[in-house]
Each structure stands twice: as structure tokens, then as C-alpha cells.
């Protein structure tokens, strides 16, 4: 019963304050459109080129595109923190009064945020995949969706432990920045110093980027470089 009441209340709060999500949606639309047009048709060139040199050149162009989508679109999840902290203050008051417990609230808050994350992932996938002519719409969407879910969950975890949203956003930005550096694009895995190898394995960016790469370059649709 408590779970349904909390889910309904959090959902109503989101509906009554649409600007919180709409601002994020507009940001993702603008950046995804820019990425898609910046790399317009490069996917087809990598897939259809009959020359290995041309296919390799097109594939090399796509690497920064895939990195940017995986890294920066996920990085923007830090924007969710101020809204979460507003809800946290209400939660603390109600929990101190014995009105609610943690588990139903956490699950309800997680489920209430899924529609917006799914919408952002779908819009970004449509714009980037269609304009840049990338492979595997379904895998691209699922990968981005799961990455955003993990990123926002991490921001909620950080927000629950910090007294002020600026501190939380700084910690989240630093963590995502480290993950971006360690994921294997800027510095290949074999060149990462031994003391930072743990960052490569810890970062969820690593596995997301690998999935994007596999989705784009594996199989028959991967072209000559596949």
C-alpha cells in the first residue's frame, strides 16, 4: 500500500513540474541532433565502402561519435541531483515521523523516473542512429537506456550521502570524468598504468562503450573493418 501511494505521489509531482524533465529532454534533443548531423552518413560509409582504407577512415570517424554518446549523454545525468534533493528533504521528514520506510520509497522513486529516462534514450537513439546511419537501433537504445539508469542511480546514491547539491554534482562529475578517462577510448586498456587498471574494470562506461563498438562493427553490417 505504501509503495503505491509513494509511486502515485512522485509521479504526480513529476507531472505537476514538467519543466524539470522537459529541460533535460530539450538538452538531449539538441545535442543528439547535433551529433547526428555532425556525423551524417558516416555509418553508411563505414558499412558500404569497398575500399579497406576508406572503410577504416569512416570507422575511425565513428569512434569519437560513439564515445561522445556514451560519455557525455551519460554525464548529463548529474542534472537530476537538485530535484532528487528536494524530494530527499521530504523523505527525511516523513521517515523521522515513522510514516514511511526506505525500501518502498526507493523502488517507487526508481520506477517513477523510468518513463523520462526511456523517453530521453528513445529520442537520442532516433536522432543519432537515423542521422548518422548507425547499426543496431535496438541495441543502441537498450545500451543507452541502461547506461542512463545506472548513471542516475549513482547520482541518487551520491545525493543521499551529501548535504548540498553542489557537493553531490561535483562528486558525480568527478566520478564520471574518471570513468570516461579509464574506459579505454582516450587511453587503450594495455596502456593504462597498472595503478589505474581498477578504474577500467570498475567503470560502467567501459562495458557500455564495448557494447556500442560491438553493435556498430560486428557481423556483416560492420563492413570491411568488422
Amino acid at each position: 500500500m505504501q509503495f503505491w501511494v509513494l509511486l502515485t505521489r512522485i509521479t504526480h509531482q513529476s507531472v505537476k513540474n514538467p519543466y524539470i524533465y522537459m529541460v533535460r529532454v530539450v538538452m538531449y534533443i539538441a545535442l543528439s541532433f547535433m551529433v547526428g548531423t555532425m556525423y551524417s552518413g558516416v555509418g553508411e560509409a563505414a558499412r558500404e565502402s569497398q575500399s579497406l582504407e576508406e572503410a577504416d577512415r569512416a570507422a575511425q570517424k565513428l569512434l569519437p561519435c560513439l564515445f561522445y554518446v556514451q560519455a557525455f549523454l551519460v554525464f548529463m545525468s548529474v542534472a537530476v541531483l537538485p530535484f532528487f534533493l528536494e524530494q530527499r528533504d521530504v523523505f527525511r521528514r516523513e521517515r523521522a515521523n515513522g510514516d514511511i520506510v526506505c525500501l518502498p520509497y526507493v523502488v517507487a522513486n526508481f520506477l517513477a523516473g523510468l518513463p523520462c529516462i526511456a523517453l530521453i534514450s528513445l529520442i537520442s537513439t532516433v536522432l543519432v542512429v537515423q542521422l548518422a546511419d548507425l547499426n543496431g537501433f535496438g541495441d543502441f537504445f537498450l545500451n543507452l537506456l541502461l547506461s542512463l539508469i545506472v548513471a542516475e542511480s549513482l547520482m541518487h546514491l551520491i545525493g543521499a550521502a551529501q548535504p548540498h547539491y553542489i557537493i553531490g554534482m561535483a562528486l558525480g562529475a568527478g566520478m564520471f570524468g574518471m570513468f570516461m578517462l579509464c574506459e579505454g577510448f582516450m587511453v587503450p586498456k594495455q596502456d593504462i598504468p597498472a595503478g589505474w587498471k581498477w578504474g577500467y574494470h570498475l567503470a560502467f562506461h567501459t562495458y557500455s562503450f564495448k557494447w556500442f563498438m560491438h553493435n556498430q562493427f560486428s557481423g556483416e553490417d560492420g563492413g570491411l573493418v568488422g
Side-chain angles (χ1 to χ4, degrees):
M1 182 64 180
Q2 188 179 100
F3 163 76
W4 290 111
V5 171
L6 289 168
L7 179 60
T8 303
R9 187 179 74 181
I10 296 172
T11 303
H12 283 173
Q13 287 176 340
S14 300
V15 172
K16 288 168 61 179
N17 300 284
Y19 67 90
I20 293 173
Y21 290 108
M22 287 303 102
V23 168
R24 296 184 63 203
V25 169
V26 170
M27 286 169 51
Y28 277 91
I29 289 175
L31 285 173
S32 298
F33 177 77
M34 186 174 180
V35 171
T37 52
M38 191 77 71
Y39 292 92
S40 178
V42 178
E44 181 182 8
R47 185 169 55 249
E48 304 295 341
S49 293
Q50 299 303 312
S51 164
L52 181 59
E53 183 179 350
E54 291 179 1
D56 183 66
R57 188 181 303 115
Q60 291 295 329
K61 290 180 181 179
L62 280 180
L63 294 182
C65 172
L66 298 176
F67 170 76
Y68 183 89
V69 169
Q70 190 284 318
F72 196 75
L73 295 189
V74 169
F75 181 86
M76 290 199 301
S77 294
V78 298
V80 75
L81 198 58
F83 179 59
F84 171 77
L85 293 185
E86 289 182 10
Q87 294 178 320
R88 184 191 67 177
D89 293 337
V90 177
F91 165 76
R92 283 179 170 174
R93 237 180 1 253
E94 293 180 339
R95 185 169 182 269
N97 293 332
D99 297 328
I100 60 176
V101 293
C102 287
L103 184 59
Y105 177 84
V106 171
V107 176
N109 190 56
F110 172 76
L111 293 178
L114 284 182
C116 180
I117 299 175
L119 178 62
I120 287 173
S121 301
L122 180 61
I123 292 173
S124 300
T125 300
V126 168
L127 290 172
V128 175
V129 171
Q130 296 301 317
L131 292 174
D133 200 3
L134 303 182
N135 298 331
F137 182 95
D139 276 354
F140 195 101
F141 167 72
L142 183 58
N143 188 0
L144 184 57
L145 174 65
L146 293 177
S147 296
L148 290 176
I149 289 174
V150 173
E152 295 210 2
S153 298
L154 277 174
M155 291 309 301
H156 286 177
L157 181 63
I158 291 172
Q162 299 303 319
H164 197 278
Y165 78 92
I166 293 180
I167 299 175
M169 292 180 74
L171 290 174
M175 180 183 296
F176 290 154
M178 187 200 78
F179 288 169
M180 289 160 59
L181 185 60
C182 294
E183 71 182 71
F185 173 77
M186 294 184 178
V187 182
K189 179 184 177 182
Q190 63 271 17
D191 295 333
I192 297 176
W196 289 108
K197 289 283 187 184
W198 61 270
Y200 174 86
H201 297 290
L202 177 66
F204 70 93
H205 292 56
T206 300
Y207 311 101
S208 177
F209 185 60
K210 283 183 178 180
W211 190 355
F212 276 127
M213 294 282 288
H214 183 270
N215 181 54
Q216 181 61 37
F217 299 114
S218 66
E220 295 181 359
D221 289 337
L224 295 179
V225 297

PDB file of all heavy atoms in Angstrom, residues 144-163:
ATOM      1  N   LEU A 144      21.995   2.625 -24.269  1.00  0.00           N
ATOM      2  CA  LEU A 144      21.884   3.982 -23.734  1.00  0.00           C
ATOM      3  C   LEU A 144      20.917   4.037 -22.561  1.00  0.00           C
ATOM      4  O   LEU A 144      21.179   4.730 -21.557  1.00  0.00           O
ATOM      5  CB  LEU A 144      21.430   4.935 -24.847  1.00  0.00           C
ATOM      6  CG  LEU A 144      21.362   6.428 -24.485  1.00  0.00           C
ATOM      7  CD1 LEU A 144      22.710   6.939 -23.991  1.00  0.00           C
ATOM      8  CD2 LEU A 144      20.890   7.250 -25.676  1.00  0.00           C
ATOM      9  N   LEU A 145      19.814   3.313 -22.651  1.00  0.00           N
ATOM     10  CA  LEU A 145      18.832   3.279 -21.560  1.00  0.00           C
ATOM     11  C   LEU A 145      19.454   2.748 -20.278  1.00  0.00           C
ATOM     12  O   LEU A 145      19.324   3.360 -19.204  1.00  0.00           O
ATOM     13  CB  LEU A 145      17.645   2.414 -21.966  1.00  0.00           C
ATOM     14  CG  LEU A 145      16.586   2.147 -20.880  1.00  0.00           C
ATOM     15  CD1 LEU A 145      15.894   3.446 -20.480  1.00  0.00           C
ATOM     16  CD2 LEU A 145      15.570   1.109 -21.360  1.00  0.00           C
ATOM     17  N   LEU A 146      20.145   1.626 -20.359  1.00  0.00           N
ATOM     18  CA  LEU A 146      20.756   1.038 -19.165  1.00  0.00           C
ATOM     19  C   LEU A 146      21.862   1.935 -18.608  1.00  0.00           C
ATOM     20  O   LEU A 146      22.015   2.054 -17.387  1.00  0.00           O
ATOM     21  CB  LEU A 146      21.317  -0.350 -19.498  1.00  0.00           C
ATOM     22  CG  LEU A 146      20.274  -1.424 -19.848  1.00  0.00           C
ATOM     23  CD1 LEU A 146      20.957  -2.728 -20.241  1.00  0.00           C
ATOM     24  CD2 LEU A 146      19.326  -1.657 -18.682  1.00  0.00           C
ATOM     25  N   SER A 147      22.619   2.569 -19.491  1.00  0.00           N
ATOM     26  CA  SER A 147      23.682   3.477 -19.032  1.00  0.00           C
ATOM     27  C   SER A 147      23.093   4.655 -18.263  1.00  0.00           C
ATOM     28  O   SER A 147      23.621   5.047 -17.212  1.00  0.00           O
ATOM     29  CB  SER A 147      24.488   3.993 -20.227  1.00  0.00           C
ATOM     30  OG  SER A 147      25.175   2.945 -20.881  1.00  0.00           O
ATOM     31  N   LEU A 148      22.002   5.232 -18.773  1.00  0.00           N
ATOM     32  CA  LEU A 148      21.365   6.352 -18.081  1.00  0.00           C
ATOM     33  C   LEU A 148      20.756   5.917 -16.756  1.00  0.00           C
ATOM     34  O   LEU A 148      20.785   6.669 -15.769  1.00  0.00           O
ATOM     35  CB  LEU A 148      20.302   6.986 -18.973  1.00  0.00           C
ATOM     36  CG  LEU A 148      20.818   7.755 -20.194  1.00  0.00           C
ATOM     37  CD1 LEU A 148      19.659   8.254 -21.050  1.00  0.00           C
ATOM     38  CD2 LEU A 148      21.680   8.935 -19.758  1.00  0.00           C
ATOM     39  N   ILE A 149      20.188   4.716 -16.713  1.00  0.00           N
ATOM     40  CA  ILE A 149      19.628   4.206 -15.455  1.00  0.00           C
ATOM     41  C   ILE A 149      20.722   4.069 -14.404  1.00  0.00           C
ATOM     42  O   ILE A 149      20.560   4.479 -13.249  1.00  0.00           O
ATOM     43  CB  ILE A 149      18.921   2.859 -15.690  1.00  0.00           C
ATOM     44  CG1 ILE A 149      17.622   3.063 -16.478  1.00  0.00           C
ATOM     45  CG2 ILE A 149      18.620   2.169 -14.364  1.00  0.00           C
ATOM     46  CD1 ILE A 149      16.932   1.775 -16.871  1.00  0.00           C
ATOM     47  N   VAL A 150      21.858   3.482 -14.804  1.00  0.00           N
ATOM     48  CA  VAL A 150      22.971   3.322 -13.860  1.00  0.00           C
ATOM     49  C   VAL A 150      23.497   4.684 -13.417  1.00  0.00           C
ATOM     50  O   VAL A 150      23.751   4.917 -12.224  1.00  0.00           O
ATOM     51  CB  VAL A 150      24.102   2.489 -14.500  1.00  0.00           C
ATOM     52  CG1 VAL A 150      25.328   2.467 -13.591  1.00  0.00           C
ATOM     53  CG2 VAL A 150      23.628   1.068 -14.768  1.00  0.00           C
ATOM     54  N   ALA A 151      23.637   5.614 -14.363  1.00  0.00           N
ATOM     55  CA  ALA A 151      24.177   6.938 -14.037  1.00  0.00           C
ATOM     56  C   ALA A 151      23.254   7.683 -13.063  1.00  0.00           C
ATOM     57  O   ALA A 151      23.724   8.274 -12.081  1.00  0.00           O
ATOM     58  CB  ALA A 151      24.357   7.752 -15.311  1.00  0.00           C
ATOM     59  N   GLU A 152      21.954   7.660 -13.311  1.00  0.00           N
ATOM     60  CA  GLU A 152      21.032   8.369 -12.430  1.00  0.00           C
ATOM     61  C   GLU A 152      20.952   7.691 -11.068  1.00  0.00           C
ATOM     62  O   GLU A 152      20.815   8.359 -10.037  1.00  0.00           O
ATOM     63  CB  GLU A 152      19.659   8.458 -13.077  1.00  0.00           C
ATOM     64  CG  GLU A 152      19.651   9.297 -14.334  1.00  0.00           C
ATOM     65  CD  GLU A 152      18.325   9.985 -14.588  1.00  0.00           C
ATOM     66  OE1 GLU A 152      17.404   9.839 -13.755  1.00  0.00           O
ATOM     67  OE2 GLU A 152      18.221  10.685 -15.609  1.00  0.00           O
ATOM     68  N   SER A 153      21.040   6.372 -11.037  1.00  0.00           N
ATOM     69  CA  SER A 153      21.040   5.658  -9.760  1.00  0.00           C
ATOM     70  C   SER A 153      22.275   6.031  -8.935  1.00  0.00           C
ATOM     71  O   SER A 153      22.192   6.202  -7.708  1.00  0.00           O
ATOM     72  CB  SER A 153      21.000   4.145  -9.998  1.00  0.00           C
ATOM     73  OG  SER A 153      19.812   3.768 -10.669  1.00  0.00           O
ATOM     74  N   LEU A 154      23.421   6.155  -9.609  1.00  0.00           N
ATOM     75  CA  LEU A 154      24.633   6.587  -8.910  1.00  0.00           C
ATOM     76  C   LEU A 154      24.481   8.002  -8.362  1.00  0.00           C
ATOM     77  O   LEU A 154      24.909   8.295  -7.233  1.00  0.00           O
ATOM     78  CB  LEU A 154      25.838   6.527  -9.850  1.00  0.00           C
ATOM     79  CG  LEU A 154      26.528   5.176 -10.017  1.00  0.00           C
ATOM     80  CD1 LEU A 154      27.608   5.251 -11.082  1.00  0.00           C
ATOM     81  CD2 LEU A 154      27.127   4.710  -8.698  1.00  0.00           C
ATOM     82  N   MET A 155      23.856   8.885  -9.126  1.00  0.00           N
ATOM     83  CA  MET A 155      23.641  10.250  -8.661  1.00  0.00           C
ATOM     84  C   MET A 155      22.689  10.273  -7.464  1.00  0.00           C
ATOM     85  O   MET A 155      22.869  11.073  -6.538  1.00  0.00           O
ATOM     86  CB  MET A 155      23.103  11.124  -9.789  1.00  0.00           C
ATOM     87  CG  MET A 155      24.095  11.395 -10.899  1.00  0.00           C
ATOM     88  SD  MET A 155      25.703  12.020 -10.317  1.00  0.00           S
ATOM     89  CE  MET A 155      25.214  13.521  -9.450  1.00  0.00           C
ATOM     90  N   HIS A 156      21.694   9.416  -7.461  1.00  0.00           N
ATOM     91  CA  HIS A 156      20.805   9.322  -6.292  1.00  0.00           C
ATOM     92  C   HIS A 156      21.575   8.832  -5.065  1.00  0.00           C
ATOM     93  O   HIS A 156      21.354   9.325  -3.947  1.00  0.00           O
ATOM     94  CB  HIS A 156      19.652   8.371  -6.600  1.00  0.00           C
ATOM     95  CG  HIS A 156      18.634   8.969  -7.522  1.00  0.00           C
ATOM     96  ND1 HIS A 156      17.547   8.266  -7.974  1.00  0.00           N
ATOM     97  CD2 HIS A 156      18.543  10.187  -8.097  1.00  0.00           C
ATOM     98  CE1 HIS A 156      16.821   9.035  -8.770  1.00  0.00           C
ATOM     99  NE2 HIS A 156      17.415  10.205  -8.861  1.00  0.00           N
ATOM    100  N   LEU A 157      22.452   7.861  -5.284  1.00  0.00           N
ATOM    101  CA  LEU A 157      23.260   7.340  -4.173  1.00  0.00           C
ATOM    102  C   LEU A 157      24.166   8.428  -3.606  1.00  0.00           C
ATOM    103  O   LEU A 157      24.276   8.598  -2.385  1.00  0.00           O
ATOM    104  CB  LEU A 157      24.091   6.151  -4.656  1.00  0.00           C
ATOM    105  CG  LEU A 157      24.987   5.472  -3.622  1.00  0.00           C
ATOM    106  CD1 LEU A 157      24.137   4.872  -2.502  1.00  0.00           C
ATOM    107  CD2 LEU A 157      25.836   4.393  -4.272  1.00  0.00           C
ATOM    108  N   ILE A 158      24.811   9.181  -4.493  1.00  0.00           N
ATOM    109  CA  ILE A 158      25.678  10.283  -4.053  1.00  0.00           C
ATOM    110  C   ILE A 158      24.850  11.353  -3.354  1.00  0.00           C
ATOM    111  O   ILE A 158      25.231  11.875  -2.301  1.00  0.00           O
ATOM    112  CB  ILE A 158      26.436  10.876  -5.251  1.00  0.00           C
ATOM    113  CG1 ILE A 158      27.460   9.869  -5.783  1.00  0.00           C
ATOM    114  CG2 ILE A 158      27.135  12.181  -4.870  1.00  0.00           C
ATOM    115  CD1 ILE A 158      28.120  10.294  -7.078  1.00  0.00           C
ATOM    116  N   GLY A 159      23.685  11.680  -3.919  1.00  0.00           N
ATOM    117  CA  GLY A 159      22.838  12.710  -3.335  1.00  0.00           C
ATOM    118  C   GLY A 159      22.340  12.354  -1.956  1.00  0.00           C
ATOM    119  O   GLY A 159      22.174  13.230  -1.096  1.00  0.00           O
ATOM    120  N   ALA A 160      22.100  11.067  -1.726  1.00  0.00           N
ATOM    121  CA  ALA A 160      21.610  10.636  -0.414  1.00  0.00           C
ATOM    122  C   ALA A 160      22.670  10.807   0.667  1.00  0.00           C
ATOM    123  O   ALA A 160      22.340  10.880   1.855  1.00  0.00           O
ATOM    124  CB  ALA A 160      21.174   9.175  -0.484  1.00  0.00           C
ATOM    125  N   ALA A 161      23.935  10.870   0.268  1.00  0.00           N
ATOM    126  CA  ALA A 161      25.026  10.937   1.245  1.00  0.00           C
ATOM    127  C   ALA A 161      25.616  12.331   1.398  1.00  0.00           C
ATOM    128  O   ALA A 161      26.500  12.536   2.238  1.00  0.00           O
ATOM    129  CB  ALA A 161      26.132   9.959   0.842  1.00  0.00           C
ATOM    130  N   GLN A 162      25.139  13.317   0.588  1.00  0.00           N
ATOM    131  CA  GLN A 162      25.740  14.647   0.611  1.00  0.00           C
ATOM    132  C   GLN A 162      24.742  15.699   1.089  1.00  0.00           C
ATOM    133  O   GLN A 162      23.556  15.613   0.798  1.00  0.00           O
ATOM    134  CB  GLN A 162      26.256  15.029  -0.776  1.00  0.00           C
ATOM    135  CG  GLN A 162      27.331  14.103  -1.304  1.00  0.00           C
ATOM    136  CD  GLN A 162      28.526  14.008  -0.370  1.00  0.00           C
ATOM    137  OE1 GLN A 162      28.964  15.013   0.184  1.00  0.00           O
ATOM    138  NE2 GLN A 162      29.044  12.807  -0.187  1.00  0.00           N
ATOM    139  N   PRO A 163      25.209  16.699   1.830  1.00  0.00           N
ATOM    140  CA  PRO A 163      24.302  17.703   2.384  1.00  0.00           C
ATOM    141  C   PRO A 163      23.844  18.753   1.375  1.00  0.00           C
ATOM    142  O   PRO A 163      22.836  19.405   1.575  1.00  0.00           O
ATOM    143  CB  PRO A 163      25.134  18.357   3.491  1.00  0.00           C
ATOM    144  CG  PRO A 163      26.550  18.212   3.017  1.00  0.00           C
ATOM    145  CD  PRO A 163      26.597  16.885   2.300  1.00  0.00           C
TER     146      PRO A 163
END
